[in-house]
Amino acid sequence: MRDAAILLLNLGGPVNLGQVEPFLGELFGDRELIRLPGPAWLQPPFARLIARLRAPGARGRYAEIGGGSPLLRESAYQAAALRSALRAAGRQEAVKLCFRYAGPRAAGLLKALKGDGIRKLVPVTLYPHDCRATTGSSLRELAVEATRAGMELLPGVNHYATDPDYLDALERPLRAALAELPGATVIFSAHSLPVRQIEAGDPYEREIRATREALIARIGEIPGGYIQAYQSRTGPVRWLEPPLKGVLESMGGRDVIVVPMSFVSEHIETLHELDIEYRHVADQAGIRTYRRIPAPGTDPAYIRCLTRRVLEILP
């Protein structure tokens, strides 16, 4: 389909420190992601206030990982790898990034694509687990902008929690870490979600559990055992538990391997939250060895997952 484009959907991030506050404003302004107290019309001004208050601390964290988020660069590598694989399979569709809270945003991207003769859009999520706050929010924004642009939004790739190639991309580095630390406890860490969203029917927790159980079935029982934990909580609501901080604080004297199972790219929540903040927690708790396996990135197995699933849905 030469008149179609494949859009890789992700959160996005500030590429420099000057973009941090606007990025936070977009993030906290999305009611699908974070439902602030009060009516919907109050969320935008509250979001701007929260962004202004949180920006100094956030800028400090981004400064510690190089002065901005690497997510745009990481996602561009993934898009290039997918594009190459599709060309090798004889497909000529454009492959573009479409972010939810930072450029390239849907409105501007679709305008440019329409000018290039693109009329059909195939969304492909870079969130492995189905979730209304991530994939759902991105798809809703894309649907609105597609309608405005007079473009057709086709069925896409919305999740792949137990895809064998996605699991391969997680299993291989985990096995390598276990070979070095055979007695370690494996901690699966996923981005948390407010419990009320799960109670409202969001499939996210179920999908996280499916990935975890599939990986455990592949690797088998280990001496240190497995634990599920959640990170990246914010706000005074009840979140999925147990929190990663509390789990690490109970692991003194042991080796741990952290698997960032809901992230496919390195960004602030892996490079700072896991590698700096929680490594400090581990050191304070007396954990003997703290090991964090990398996100899939452009691991050939992960690119195979995306390629195969895209080829399955293209005419």
Side-chain angles (χ1 to χ4, degrees):
M1 295 190 297
R2 291 186 179 274
D3 64 340
I6 295 159
L7 306 185
L8 297 185
L9 309 180
N10 208 337
L11 183 82
V15 299
N16 57 52
L17 298 183
Q19 293 183 3
V20 169
E21 186 173 329
F23 171 76
L24 293 177
E26 292 288 338
L27 193 74
F28 286 104
D30 182 3
R31 212 161 164 79
E32 300 292 343
L33 182 70
I34 301 169
R35 186 173 291 269
L36 298 176
W41 64 268
L42 273 178
Q43 181 129 350
F46 270 133
R48 289 191 292 271
L49 175 60
I50 293 170
R52 187 161 61 250
L53 294 174
R54 288 178 174 257
R59 279 193 290 266
R61 290 189 290 275
Y62 279 109
E64 290 186 72
I65 62 168
S69 173
L71 191 61
L72 177 60
R73 180 178 68 249
E74 293 265 324
S75 302
Y77 291 153
Q78 292 170 325
L82 176 60
R83 187 180 299 112
S84 295
L86 291 174
R87 297 294 179 267
R91 305 299 309 206
Q92 299 302 316
E93 288 81 5
V95 179
K96 302 290 184 179
L97 299 177
C98 184
F99 288 164
R100 182 66 181 89
Y101 307 115
R105 294 289 297 271
L109 174 64
L110 267 55
K111 182 179 179 180
L113 289 175
K114 190 171 182 179
D116 291 337
I118 300 297
R119 296 292 180 269
K120 300 176 182 178
L121 308 169
V122 181
V124 177
T125 183
L126 294 178
Y127 308 108
H129 306 94
D130 191 9
C131 179
R132 294 171 184 169
T134 53
T135 301
S137 181
S138 292
L139 287 174
R140 280 185 286 277
E141 181 183 58
L142 186 57
V144 168
E145 296 301 336
T147 299
R148 288 176 179 167
M151 304 172 83
E152 183 181 0
L153 187 59
L154 300 178
V157 178
N158 294 345
H159 59 122
Y160 36 88
T162 56
D163 183 279
D165 287 318
Y166 167 62
L167 293 174
D168 281 350
L170 296 177
E171 179 186 358
R172 190 181 309 108
L174 177 54
R175 282 192 181 277
L178 282 168
E180 295 182 21
L181 300 169
T185 297
V186 172
I187 303 174
F188 297 107
S189 184
H191 196 296
S192 195
L193 199 70
V195 170
R196 66 186 177 198
Q197 294 187 34
I198 300 299
E199 292 173 344
D202 197 296
Y204 177 73
E205 185 182 27
R206 184 170 65 249
E207 296 247 315
I208 289 292
R209 182 170 62 249
T211 298
R212 180 182 72 245
E213 291 177 351
L215 281 171
I216 291 174
R218 283 171 167 233
I219 293 173
E221 293 304 316
I222 57 175
Y226 302 94
I227 298 175
Q228 177 69 58
Y230 293 93
Q231 64 180 95
S232 311
R233 301 149 57 106
T234 182
V237 298
R238 191 160 60 100
W239 292 78
L240 290 173
E241 294 185 337
L244 179 58
K245 182 176 185 291
V247 170
L248 291 174
E249 288 172 339
S250 70
M251 292 278 146
R254 301 169 69 175
D255 299 325
V256 302
I257 300 170
V258 177
V259 181
M261 63 186 304
S262 60
F263 311 111
V264 299
S265 304
E266 302 295 350
H267 62 305
I268 190 75
E269 286 161 316
T270 58
L271 298 176
H272 196 280
E273 191 173 357
L274 289 180
D275 291 355
I276 297 177
E277 296 174 40
Y278 285 120
R279 183 176 296 278
H280 178 69
V281 172
D283 291 342
Q284 292 294 107
I287 287 174
R288 187 167 51 195
T289 306
Y290 177 88
R291 179 75 55 85
R292 196 268 292 181
I293 72 166
T298 55
D299 184 293
Y302 180 56
I303 301 304
R304 283 199 306 272
C305 164
L306 296 180
T307 303
R308 174 171 41 75
R309 287 187 168 261
V310 168
L311 290 173
E312 287 171 354
I313 62 173
L314 291 177

